[in-house]
Amino acid sequence: MNTVNPALKAITERIIERSRPSREAYLKRIRALKQQGRVERDQLGCSNLAHGYAAMPKTIKIEMLRPNVPNLGMITAYNDMVSAHQPFAEFPAWVKDEAFKHGATAQVAGGTPAMCDGITQGYEGMELSLFSRDVIAMSTAIGLSHQMFDGALYFGVCDKIVPGLMIGALSCGHLPGIFVPAGPMTSGIANKEKARTRQQFAEGKVGRDALLASEMGSYHSPGTCTFYGTANSNQMMMEMMGVHLPAAAFFNPYTPMREALTRYAAAHMAQSIKNQTIKPLGEMLSEKSFVNALIGLMATGGSTNHTMHLVAMARAAGIILNWDDFDEISSIIPLLIRVYPNGQADINHFAAAGGLPFVIRELRDAGLLHDDVDTVMGRGMEAYTKEPFLIDGRLEWRSAVAESRDEEILRPCARPFSPDGGLRLMKGNIGRGVIKVSAVREHCRIIEAPAIVFDDQREVLAAFERGELERDFVCVVRFQGPRANGMPELHKLTPPLGILQDRGFKVALVTDGRMSGASGKVPAAIHMSPEALLGGGIGKIRTGDLIRFNSITGELSALVDEAEWNARETPEPDLSRNARGIGRELFAGFRSIAGSAEKGAMSFGGEFA
């Protein structure tokens, strides 16, 4: 491997130094939890153990009573409504069977919720979405709190589920862990066709029947949605961090390969625990592991949601990331893939063109990836430059393709789509936010136009329907942060703003809410921090204020006299409509203590604050 890029090295050293007190405290805490006996359950009393064994078949009880037989815990996000999680139904049986073959036992330690932003998008349930991550983290910790397990397998794919599982896993970071994905659904209709039908519906040119047929042609079977949003960005990051088996992310569910990879994960965990060749998760994942995930986010144009989720996951391990780190790493990492919404290909096309093993090899060879990290496969990232093949029923990993199979989708570092990454920090008197520039056309990246201020995305849609937005403007949607209403995604804004852009108007979005990993062609400065409810500058903007939106330099400012700006106060919002219904009243406590987006928008205090 080439020497690590000097700028990358300097950024990483800064993160290590910044994190030193909290990281040392975290490691001290999890090391104190390490089991003292031969297996984790040795510390439990006889009555406690009997409860833990009670539901097991007699043959498994016999094994669990033996010394030195590791017991694997499974945390599953299975349900059969969310397409990406439906395939997990079969995983526990495979894991139990394979663990038994390798001298171990396995139990489902617990389940977590797994909600779908695609279903709740634009409705009340979306206001529970972000905090579902914290519920998942707590559910994971509850499952592992029985102290029956010597290692854990985590089954999750989608937006908040993987970050929640990781936060929960790191709270029990004295245990080794492997994350086990389910894979994307097979390709449906072309993304360009889906986008065209959505826009035609927004313009009233087609009806709901045509729209529903188009959507069902895209989201059509078990597996992850195939665009490159938060879910598939999750899977990329787990591989960049070395907690997946190499190249496990993007094989379709219900295939021999998916079953083989799942069984191999169980066997590998059992053998690694017995041979003491796998580190506890909290020790295995270092500052450099999280920086590698950040690098992957930039190299692939990944989801904006991870400007929060990656921060939150790192903080769970005592590691402090901020948006300056994202911005600076973005400036040195080339963009190597184009997958919808950054291009027309889907994740299956990306995998066929060479996939993550190609990306990891390119970055590693260019000195743009840390190789001195631990993974579930051992030391270093070389294993992740290979992809699995199923030869006569056995898995065999082979080196990634030498050249991309399609340079419209995947390119080497020598010929990137862009010399820098997909995300950028936006800052000025309005606050600090992020933008996914990889999806925005170059001529749309600089806008100077009057603001039109809204307190709810429904107000934007109504104004569009009334024809009031046929102009150049910056759409400001405030009171959408974690404290205000749980920070929902504002995805319904994309079609009308996109239509206005296509009509020749210069438009941009500024919000303290989210737009997700599917944010597309409309330039959007999102996650504005502090949020309006906490006195952030976004709350001071008035309709008619001239806004300078420059995603090339990162400037985001209201061009208002400084004295006048400082004298302004944020209006008192009416948040009563967000307080109750569809379970929102249960999350009042979460909203009241949530941190800023730049700190991960977490509801946890203490080490996570």
Side-chain angles (χ1 to χ4, degrees):
M1 178 185 171
N2 294 340
T3 303
V4 171
N5 178 285
L8 175 60
K9 182 178 180 181
I11 296 166
T12 305
E13 288 175 351
R14 184 183 67 204
I15 293 168
I16 291 171
E17 188 57 36
R18 180 197 306 145
S19 306
R20 194 174 303 281
S22 52
R23 178 65 174 168
E24 288 177 355
Y26 171 78
L27 291 174
K28 182 179 179 180
R29 187 167 69 248
I30 64 167
R31 285 168 179 162
L33 290 170
K34 278 188 178 179
Q35 53 90 4
Q36 302 301 313
R38 294 161 297 186
V39 290
E40 178 84 352
R41 61 190 182 278
D42 273 0
Q43 62 196 300
L44 299 180
C46 293
S47 178
N48 308 79
L49 285 170
H51 279 83
Y53 294 157
M56 295 296 100
K58 186 174 182 180
T59 53
I60 302 301
K61 286 182 183 177
I62 292 170
E63 291 302 310
M64 296 180 88
L65 289 168
R66 298 183 193 277
N68 303 321
V69 172
N71 187 36
L72 310 182
M74 292 176 273
I75 302 291
T76 179
Y78 163 75
N79 66 53
D80 64 4
M81 177 197 66
V82 178
S83 63
H85 293 83
Q86 188 260 12
F88 288 131
E90 299 187 353
F91 282 30
W94 294 342
V95 167
K96 290 178 181 181
D97 181 57
E98 206 65 29
F100 191 77
K101 291 177 185 176
H102 291 83
T105 57
Q107 295 174 292
V108 174
T112 77
M115 68 181 294
C116 177
D117 290 1
I119 299 173
T120 58
Q121 193 66 250
Y123 297 94
E124 289 83 354
M126 176 55 81
E127 296 178 18
L128 277 60
S129 172
L130 178 61
F131 292 135
S132 76
R133 180 196 63 191
D134 296 11
V135 173
I136 291 160
M138 292 187 284
S139 300
T140 300
I142 288 168
L144 297 177
S145 69
H146 299 95
Q147 296 180 277
M148 287 282 294
F149 311 108
D150 303 288
L153 301 169
Y154 302 95
F155 306 157
V157 172
C158 285
D159 296 17
K160 266 59 67 185
I161 292 87
V162 169
L165 288 171
M166 178 60 78
I167 294 167
L170 287 167
S171 76
C172 298
H174 64 295
L175 298 176
I178 297 178
F179 282 63
V180 185
M185 66 178 68
T186 56
S187 299
I189 65 170
N191 286 306
K192 191 172 184 178
E193 180 182 342
K194 176 181 69 176
R196 182 172 60 248
T197 304
R198 285 180 176 178
Q199 184 150 327
Q200 287 175 336
F201 177 78
E203 294 177 295
K205 294 179 179 178
V206 300
R208 287 187 62 88
D209 289 346
L211 179 63
L212 182 58
S214 172
E215 296 295 328
M216 291 185 70
S218 179
Y219 309 113
H220 62 92
S221 66
T224 317
C225 304
T226 59
F227 63 84
Y228 195 52
T230 309
N232 285 320
S233 297
N234 277 337
Q235 304 311 301
M236 173 277 298
M237 290 199 308
M238 294 304 101
E239 300 209 0
M240 299 293 292
M241 293 169 70
V243 297
H244 273 180
L245 297 182
F250 300 132
F251 288 94
N252 304 124
Y254 297 106
T255 60
M257 178 61 83
R258 179 52 63 200
E259 179 175 352
L261 286 166
T262 303
R263 287 179 173 275
Y264 192 98
H268 183 69
M269 175 64 84
Q271 292 172 331
S272 298
I273 292 171
K274 293 175 76 172
N275 297 333
Q276 297 184 328
T277 55
I278 188 169
K279 285 189 172 184
L281 187 70
E283 294 188 39
M284 187 187 86
L285 293 178
S286 68
E287 294 90 340
K288 291 180 180 179
S289 305
F290 284 95
V291 170
N292 280 352
L294 206 167
I295 290 165
L297 198 65
M298 301 307 168
T300 62
S303 169
T304 53
N305 275 325
H306 289 306
T307 60
M308 293 183 299
H309 296 324
L310 186 56
V311 169
M313 289 187 284
R315 283 178 172 256
I319 296 165
I320 310 302
L321 300 177
N322 63 40
W323 288 346
D324 293 303
D325 304 324
F326 283 72
D327 192 60
E328 290 181 38
I329 287 179
S330 180
S331 71
I332 61 173
I333 301 298
L335 181 66
L336 301 184
I337 83 167
R338 281 211 180 279
V339 176
Y340 189 82
N342 303 340
Q344 291 306 314
D346 69 21
I347 204 69
N348 293 309
H349 302 142
F350 164 64
L356 284 173
F358 182 95
V359 171
I360 291 170
R361 186 194 65 211
E362 286 293 310
L363 293 169
R364 184 172 177 265
D365 288 351
L368 294 173
L369 193 70
H370 292 295
D371 201 46
D372 52 340
V373 292
D374 292 305
T375 75
V376 298
M377 304 303 292
R379 187 71 170 169
M381 292 297 293
E382 183 181 4
Y384 292 83
T385 67
K386 299 178 180 180
E387 57 183 325
F389 292 83
L390 198 54
I391 309 298
D392 296 327
R394 295 179 64 85
L395 283 173
E396 179 180 311
W397 272 267
R398 298 175 180 175
S399 295
V401 294
E403 297 180 357
S404 170
R405 296 292 190 254
D406 188 340
E407 288 205 2
E408 293 299 307
I409 301 170
L410 173 65
R411 291 187 182 177
C413 285
R415 295 184 298 280
F417 290 102
S418 169
D420 55 11
L423 293 172
R424 188 153 296 149
L425 175 65
M426 299 286 283
K427 58 185 178 180
N429 60 1
I430 296 174
R432 287 165 64 90
V434 294
I435 183 171
K436 185 173 181 175
V437 292
S438 56
V440 179
R441 291 172 290 186
E442 289 190 16
H443 70 276
C444 298
R445 294 183 180 184
I446 300 176
I447 298 171
E448 198 165 295
I452 303 179
V453 179
F454 303 92
D455 290 350
D456 188 282
Q457 66 175 329
R458 287 167 289 196
E459 295 175 5
V460 182
L461 300 177
F464 174 78
E465 292 293 334
R466 293 192 298 267
E468 296 172 1
L469 303 181
E470 304 281 326
R471 66 181 86 172
D472 294 352
F473 74 106
V474 174
C475 179
V476 177
V477 187
R478 61 191 182 183
F479 300 116
Q480 304 298 308
R483 290 281 184 107
N485 64 351
M487 204 177 190
E489 290 180 354
L490 307 176
H491 223 233
K492 284 188 177 293
L493 298 180
T494 300
L497 294 179
I499 290 168
L500 294 169
Q501 190 179 69
D502 289 347
R503 289 176 181 171
F505 299 110
K506 290 186 175 182
V507 296
L509 173 68
V510 176
T511 181
D512 49 10
R514 294 187 292 133
M515 281 292 283
S516 93
S519 52
K521 62 185 181 179
V522 177
I526 61 177
H527 307 175
M528 293 305 301
S529 299
E531 64 179 282
L533 193 65
L534 294 180
I538 187 173
K540 295 184 176 185
I541 302 173
R542 303 290 181 261
T543 293
D545 287 347
L546 194 62
I547 305 296
R548 178 172 292 155
F549 187 113
N550 188 327
S551 62
I552 295 176
T553 65
E555 181 183 359
L556 180 61
S557 300
L559 303 183
V560 177
D561 176 75
E562 185 176 0
E564 179 188 345
W565 182 259
N566 291 336
R568 285 184 181 179
E569 295 183 357
T570 300
E572 191 70 28
D574 178 8
L575 300 175
S576 59
R577 63 184 179 277
N578 306 114
R580 295 182 180 278
I582 318 294
R584 287 177 290 177
E585 58 271 28
L586 304 177
F587 286 78
F590 286 72
R591 293 191 295 271
S592 69
I593 60 174
S596 72
E598 187 166 6
K599 289 187 176 181
M602 301 175 78
S603 61
F604 305 121
E607 294 295 328
F608 301 99

